């Protein structure tokens, strides 16, 4: 599957769709999710064109990977979520219901998030 340059997050990176930016540097952009699932729900995306975590972890440079994860940690810290706690999550592909095919990490915080995920039917 090829990267689609018209996905929503690519448009956000090009400034074609507005977003509520939390943080930006050369490797990453963080912005509030349009449909927040928790009081704090921020998306952190790399600036490079990667479809999902699988694509990013395989093809991104070490500088991009380090820059992205440092940005993710900084965003969590700067939002004041370290003390109360937070969850980071990334969906890859069909079974995880990935909607937007540009790699992103969700940062959830601001309430008791429960324990991990709901047990699925086996
Ligand atoms: P996924 O299911 O791909 O892991 O999550 C995609 C996320 O992107 C969803 O939580 C959804 O609410 C969010 N989202 C979709 N379109 C937009 C948009 O135009 N702006 C923002 N800020 N978030 C979006």
């Amino acid at each position: 599957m090829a990267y689609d340059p018209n996905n929503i997050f690519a448009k956000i990176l090009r400034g074609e769709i507005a977003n509520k930016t939390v943080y930006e540097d050369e490797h990453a952009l963080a912005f509030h999710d349009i449909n927040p699932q928790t009081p704090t729900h921020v998306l952190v995306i790399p600036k490079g064109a990667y479809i999902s975590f699988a694509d990013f972890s395989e093809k991104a440079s070490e500088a991009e990977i380090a820059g992205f994860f440092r940005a993710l940690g900084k965003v969590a810290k700067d939002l004041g979520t370290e003390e109360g706690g937070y969850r980071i999550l990334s969906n890859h592909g069909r079974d995880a219901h990935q909607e937007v095919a540009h790699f992103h990490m969700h940062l959830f915080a601001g309430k008791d998030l429960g324990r991990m995920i709901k047990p699925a039917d086996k």
Side-chain angles (χ1 to χ4, degrees):
M1 178 172 145
Y3 181 83
D4 174 8
N6 287 318
N7 76 72
I8 288 168
F9 294 170
K11 290 181 179 177
I12 284 176
L13 282 170
R14 290 196 297 268
E16 295 166 14
I17 292 179
N19 74 92
K20 291 186 185 167
T21 298
V22 170
Y23 176 78
E24 181 169 14
D25 65 20
E26 71 174 299
H27 293 297
L29 176 70
F31 52 94
H32 289 281
D33 195 290
I34 203 167
N35 184 23
Q37 304 299 307
T38 49
T40 298
H41 182 178
V42 166
L43 301 168
V44 185
I45 69 174
K47 290 202 165 168
Y50 301 103
I51 297 170
S52 69
F53 179 70
D55 195 27
F56 182 72
S57 60
E58 184 183 346
K59 296 180 189 156
S61 69
E62 292 182 11
E64 288 177 296
I65 292 171
F68 174 79
F69 281 102
R70 286 208 194 281
L72 177 59
K74 179 172 172 47
V75 167
K77 183 173 188 173
D78 290 353
L79 286 170
T81 63
E82 280 191 355
E83 190 180 342
Y86 61 85
R87 179 168 295 151
I88 52 176
L89 177 153
S90 185
N91 294 313
H92 165 84
R94 182 198 60 218
D95 284 354
H97 295 249
Q98 181 181 1
E99 287 173 17
V100 180
H102 180 111
F103 170 50
H104 51 282
M105 299 278 311
H106 296 258
L107 169 65
F108 301 106
K111 60 176 264 192
D112 184 333
L113 300 168
R115 291 176 63 85
M116 299 294 283
I117 59 175
K118 272 190 195 168
D121 293 337
K122 291 183 179 152

